[in-house]
Amino acid sequence: MADARITLHPDFRRGVVDRRLFGSFVEHLGRAVYTGIFEPGHTAADEHGFRRDVADLTHELGVSMVRYPGGNFVSNYVWEDAVGPVEERKPFLDLAWRTVEPNLVGTDEFLQWAEREGIEPMMAVNLGTRGVEAAAALVEYCNGDAGTRWADLRIANGRTEPYGVRLWCLGNEMDGPWQIGHKDAHEYGKLAAEAGKAMKLVDPSISLVVCGSSSMQMPTFGEWERTVLSYTYDLVDHVSMHAYYEEHDGDRGSFLASGTAMDRFIDRVVASADAVGAERRSEKKITISFDEWNVWYLETRFPGETNLPIQRDAPRIIEDVYSALDAVVVGDLLVTLLNHADRVPVAALAQLVNVIAPIMTEPGGEAWRQPTFYPFATTARLARGTALDVRVDAPDVRTERHGAAPLVTAAATVDDGALGLFLTNRSPQAVEVDLAHVGASLSLTEGHRMLADHEVAVHGPEHAAKVAEACWSAVDVADAVVGSAGGTTTVRLAPESWTAFGGTFTRA
């Protein structure tokens, strides 16, 4: 008998896979912007100062959308100071990351970069130290037609056509005591409702993301969502979720089961949102913008914002170096997001470059892929069309941090007969998995696998390349498939691994 059984059918559907699920995040933090996406004078810089090598890797990664400019940064940001002639802009002290921001890249530079690269922008407004007027003005600046104050300023700054930004965040992590302008749920809910109302009066076509609680561990979690949505339910389209995962004290089992924690988090936020909708007798469904997620060694490597010295010149902050184990967890988190495609249309891997990122750079030097790059890029390429409602029958394993978690996880997508299949084996032993597809024809034609390692991650392109060579590989499908009969295909999964298959899947 196989160790697990996965039931697949092209008619069992979860929801459409929105391409915005494969978003990322660029914040004015550390080297995400300066010497990240932007480095004038670099040999790979384009005429606008943006690094072509980073943009090329961003496309290879499959990023569809980028959130900007924060993050905690946005809650102390005056966007007007970073538009217009660069030589007239004044640096300011960003209180979130205690860094002097030179204001060389602002709204126009970012939006034009995104436009050139074919990436959808997701903009955030400052509801920490600012509010309704500044938020509405930024929408007018970005999306307004000629003949009004802020649209005319954009035109005077050299951009005639509106940018047409459609997705907007109403602040960031406003329940966090670390947030500049931190508010309680009632304060924030009222402000978000008024700011959102004004923003939609400027441009009724925009979609709004209201801040959910900053994590499931926050004491405000649950009650925050209920209170904030009681003010904003009819106005907003999405509620945000943020979650980061790391290995604690060598507890690999709990770390590998991080996707289970993410799954429960999503279910609880959906339940909270639906409870408000039911109370209002509303037919509307609030969906999730999971606009910060990743592996981040927040508790074990990061000293905390208040312990950072005031720094200049794009300091190296939160440049976590990733292992293949981290990459397996990232792949498993993507499995969880796909399995909630009906309620999670928007997500952002935080962040894109240098800061807890799949892409790293060296100032004046090369750009390279971290191990986490590979599962994200492969999923973004293969996960198309509709996410299937995959049924997994697998034994549970007990974990210290998350309790019972399934040994095997799976997600699948189908797009006009093209299959994407994503499997995680959380066990330290190889497992065999029956793929039950009675009434449907399944053929696997390509495969890719990340094997968790036991190595200490070391900074640098040479180490990243070594990890990729040792742990990331193509899968010989003929070798991975160990049996096929009677509507069942059996595959073998390596220990502590994430595997992606491409192929075809149609009704028999």
Side-chain angles (χ1 to χ4, degrees), residues 103-125:
N103 272 334
L104 302 178
V105 171
T107 299
D108 288 295
E109 287 82 11
F110 170 76
L111 290 177
Q112 289 172 28
W113 172 79
E115 185 176 68
R116 290 193 300 271
E117 302 305 331
I119 294 170
E120 180 179 354
M122 179 186 196
M123 294 290 287
V125 298

Side-chain angles (χ1 to χ4, degrees), residues 138-217:
L138 182 56
V139 176
E140 183 185 320
Y141 185 88
C142 292
N143 294 0
D145 293 321
T148 63
R149 175 187 178 186
W150 296 107
D152 285 349
L153 178 62
R154 181 196 71 237
I155 293 168
N157 289 336
R159 171 70 183 205
T160 303
E161 294 300 314
Y163 291 109
V165 179
R166 294 290 163 248
L167 195 55
W168 294 83
C169 301
L170 295 167
N172 176 77
E173 294 184 357
M174 296 308 299
D175 68 332
W178 57 86
Q179 202 69 214
I180 307 301
H182 160 68
K183 294 170 175 59
D184 67 32
H186 291 282
E187 289 175 308
Y188 170 69
K190 292 175 182 178
L191 176 59
E194 291 305 310
K197 179 174 69 177
M199 293 163 72
K200 282 202 166 185
L201 286 170
V202 174
D203 184 351
S205 71
I206 64 174
S207 296
L208 298 176
V209 181
V210 72
C211 289
S213 184
S214 302
S215 80
M216 194 165 62
Q217 287 69 47

Side-chain angles (χ1 to χ4, degrees), residues 1-204:
M1 292 182 62
D3 300 284
R5 182 179 178 86
I6 297 171
T7 303
L8 303 163
H9 195 280
D11 290 340
F12 298 164
R13 301 187 170 213
R14 172 73 69 173
V16 173
V17 179
D18 193 311
R19 298 317 301 168
R20 297 175 300 171
L21 194 69
F22 303 106
S24 191
F25 181 24
V26 170
E27 180 174 3
H28 285 260
L29 159 59
R31 298 193 307 116
V33 175
Y34 306 108
T35 74
I37 62 171
F38 180 78
E39 188 177 351
H42 192 281
T43 56
D46 64 17
E47 62 183 305
H48 308 284
F50 286 83
R51 288 183 59 156
R52 184 71 256 157
D53 54 350
V54 172
D56 289 343
L57 285 174
T58 300
H59 289 298
E60 183 185 333
L61 186 62
V63 167
S64 57
M65 177 200 77
V66 172
R67 181 172 174 242
Y68 177 88
N72 295 347
F73 174 86
V74 78
S75 292
N76 185 47
Y77 186 48
V78 179
W79 67 266
E80 302 94 319
D81 290 347
V83 298
V86 173
E87 62 275 11
E88 296 178 10
R89 300 179 192 176
K90 303 298 184 184
F92 80 97
L93 177 60
D94 165 39
L95 300 179
W97 303 109
R98 295 172 60 78
T99 302
V100 176
E101 165 58 46
N103 272 334
L104 302 178
V105 171
T107 299
D108 288 295
E109 287 82 11
F110 170 76
L111 290 177
Q112 289 172 28
W113 172 79
E115 185 176 68
R116 290 193 300 271
E117 302 305 331
I119 294 170
E120 180 179 354
M122 179 186 196
M123 294 290 287
V125 298
N126 178 356
L127 295 189
T129 58
R130 308 188 77 192
V132 176
E133 183 178 7
L138 182 56
V139 176
E140 183 185 320
Y141 185 88
C142 292
N143 294 0
D145 293 321
T148 63
R149 175 187 178 186
W150 296 107
D152 285 349
L153 178 62
R154 181 196 71 237
I155 293 168
N157 289 336
R159 171 70 183 205
T160 303
E161 294 300 314
Y163 291 109
V165 179
R166 294 290 163 248
L167 195 55
W168 294 83
C169 301
L170 295 167
N172 176 77
E173 294 184 357
M174 296 308 299
D175 68 332
W178 57 86
Q179 202 69 214
I180 307 301
H182 160 68
K183 294 170 175 59
D184 67 32
H186 291 282
E187 289 175 308
Y188 170 69
K190 292 175 182 178
L191 176 59
E194 291 305 310
K197 179 174 69 177
M199 293 163 72
K200 282 202 166 185
L201 286 170
V202 174
D203 184 351

Side-chain angles (χ1 to χ4, degrees), residues 321 360-362 365-371 374 458-469:
V321 179
M360 298 296 292
T361 70
E362 195 59 31
E366 64 183 298
W368 66 93
R369 306 165 189 82
Q370 289 228 64
Y374 300 98
V458 178
H459 177 75
E462 296 82 5
H463 179 78
K466 179 180 176 182
V467 172
E469 182 180 356

Side-chain angles (χ1 to χ4, degrees), residues 425-462:
N425 176 15
R426 295 166 169 171
S427 167
Q429 287 82 40
V431 299
E432 291 189 357
V433 179
D434 282 342
L435 306 175
H437 50 91
V438 175
S441 174
L442 182 149
S443 175
L444 303 179
T445 57
E446 67 170 297
H448 309 271
R449 179 175 63 200
M450 181 65 76
L451 300 174
D453 58 3
H454 291 265
E455 301 296 320
V456 175
V458 178
H459 177 75
E462 296 82 5

